[in-house]
Amino acid sequence: MTRFSKAGYVLATAGSAIGLGAIWKFPYMTGQNGGMAFVLVFTLAFLLFGISVFIVEIFFGRTSGQNAFKTFEDLAPKNMRFLKFGGLMIFSGVLIFSFYVVVLGWLLHYLFLVIDGGLPKSLDTAQSLWTEFVSGEIFYQLLWHFVIVAICAYVLSKGVKKGIERLNLILMPLLLLIFIGLLGYSMLQDSFMQSFEFLFTPDFSKLNAKVIVEAIGQAFFSLSLGVGVILTYSNTMPKEGNFIRYAIIIALLNFVFCLMAGLVVFTFIFGYGAEPSSGPGLVFISLPLIFSHMGTAGEIIALLFFIALIFAGITSAVSMLEPFNAYLMEHFYWSRKKTNLFSVGIAYILGVIALLSESLTFFDKNLFGWFDYITSSFMLPLAGVFMCIYMGWVLKKDKVYAMSGGYLKGIYFQTWYFIIRFIAPIGIIVAMINLI
Ligand code: TRP
């Protein structure tokens, strides 16, 4: 088994975590859930539950050196073999992939729009461009979706690790730089303060069970937790190296991306008098406006931005399938090629079905809406609860301590242990019960 190099491991996990979750999903979820209330719960959930479960996944993967399914099977005490079915969480990765690549396809469409010089200049054109695209141009959506899936299949067939390491090394810093630039530019706009207030001025009137559950889900989504991605990447992590520190740095970097994306997007949403709660299209309406507002330089920045974001998304997308792939390869002895064809194939078909039925809604959401909602808000956090209970209650404390390899000690270990035993599982379950 080939192990990750230290840099390779950090880049692969960061590549998985940083993607559309921070830049597309976080702003629109914040907009739909009333701003500050969502940001507040998200922040707490991210720092308390997110980072803790991130560490749980690392411990599991690092200790077992196995795929997610086998990990839960191997570590379960004799009378608790049923725990292995926790491994089923790997399927949610396929479901998430199926809608994630559709969004990447939309981004690709916008990339070509930039190249064509077709960035909208006013709010009206930006809005109609978006609605006409998602509701009318099914051919292009299917085409871009196919192209993205094909790229993902290619990256996967190369063996995820090497291809991804190299890409991330250039593109992640580029994305960060562009965002810092965009943030600076936003700060010069009059509507920046409005954006800032929307995100950070206390307003607890918007706080309710739905906001809480969705904010917790967003924290899991953004950190790639609850599918076994971090677990799978950690099963070949380097033996040495302060991986707790890496986890925290990656998480904080991701957090910074979320906040920057929120601040930038809402500055322009308010600046143009648009609606913060316009859903998945929010970023597709605001970003083009930002770039066209910047004039000629905006076109170049837009080009770099969409390219970097699409690649950041691809490194996330391929990671979602890895737990399922690792299971198929190790359990059925399938070749990588066969495995990829199978997993990418299922996700592709699901994506096409959802695209073709895009205009059909049941209870306010279309199929994508449901895939997204059920996976992020329920499946991922519940998988997190499962892992916390497994590690906090089923395994003996000294075993868990040994799993930390000496990298989590004293008060840090105790605090983390307390969070995964009590705070995270109880917090998540109580939030979900309140929703009912
Ligand atoms: N975290 C990624 C993002 O924010 C998405 C992602 C990658 C993911 N792997 C995952 C989400 C596993 C949930 C589970 O874009």
Side-chain angles (χ1 to χ4, degrees), residues 280-356:
L282 185 76
V283 165
F284 289 91
I285 294 167
S286 59
L287 288 176
L289 286 176
I290 304 175
F291 297 125
S292 60
H293 197 261
M294 292 174 139
T296 327
E299 291 188 15
I300 299 162
I301 300 171
L303 194 70
L304 293 175
F305 176 85
F306 281 111
I307 293 175
L309 184 56
I310 289 169
F311 277 101
I314 289 174
T315 54
S316 303
V318 292
S319 79
M320 292 165 199
L321 293 181
E322 273 301 280
F324 185 52
N325 285 351
Y327 169 71
L328 293 176
M329 286 191 287
E330 286 160 26
H331 192 79
F332 298 108
Y333 301 104
W334 284 5
S335 66
R336 188 166 252 289
K337 198 165 159 202
K338 183 171 173 186
T339 307
N340 285 334
L341 271 177
F342 184 73
S343 62
V344 174
I346 299 181
Y348 176 66
I349 293 168
L350 282 175
V352 171
I353 296 175
L355 265 177
L356 292 175

Side-chain angles (χ1 to χ4, degrees), residues 16-22 96 100 221-225 227 229 316 319-320 380:
S16 168
I18 296 165
L20 308 185
I96 297 173
Y100 201 89
F221 186 93
S222 214
L223 284 172
S224 303
L225 300 172
V227 170
V229 171
S316 303
S319 79
M320 292 165 199
L380 304 180

Side-chain angles (χ1 to χ4, degrees), residues 130-270:
W130 165 251
T131 25
E132 277 161 30
F133 175 57
V134 278
S135 57
E137 301 194 27
I138 189 69
F139 169 76
Y140 280 110
Q141 291 194 66
L142 284 168
L143 177 71
W144 302 137
H145 172 242
F146 179 79
V147 172
I148 294 286
V149 171
I151 298 175
C152 290
Y154 176 77
V155 173
L156 281 164
S157 72
K158 286 275 170 194
V160 151
K161 294 165 192 166
K162 268 180 279 145
I164 285 182
E165 275 173 41
R166 259 176 281 140
L167 269 181
N168 278 344
L169 201 54
I170 315 165
L171 292 168
M172 212 91 77
L174 176 67
L175 198 60
L176 188 63
L177 271 180
I178 296 179
F179 256 104
I180 293 173
L182 289 179
L183 184 63
Y185 185 68
S186 303
M187 285 175 165
L188 301 175
Q189 314 297 319
D190 293 339
S191 50
F192 180 76
M193 272 325 283
Q194 220 178 328
S195 169
F196 190 85
E197 282 169 14
F198 181 64
L199 296 177
F200 302 117
T201 306
D203 173 8
F204 298 101
S205 64
K206 304 252 168 57
L207 208 58
N208 59 37
K210 173 177 169 284
V211 171
I212 297 176
V213 167
E214 294 192 2
I216 295 174
Q218 176 63 21
F220 275 79
F221 186 93
S222 214
L223 284 172
S224 303
L225 300 172
V227 170
V229 171
I230 303 303
L231 189 159
T232 305
Y233 278 2
S234 302
N235 67 19
T236 51
M237 74 193 302
K239 280 257 172 274
E240 304 296 321
N242 192 339
F243 53 88
I244 303 282
R245 186 179 301 154
Y246 308 152
I248 292 175
I249 293 174
I250 292 167
L252 294 181
L253 185 64
N254 194 3
F255 187 70
V256 168
F257 262 110
C258 290
L259 293 188
M260 287 200 300
L263 280 168
V264 170
V265 165
F266 288 112
T267 299
F268 287 84
I269 285 292
F270 291 126

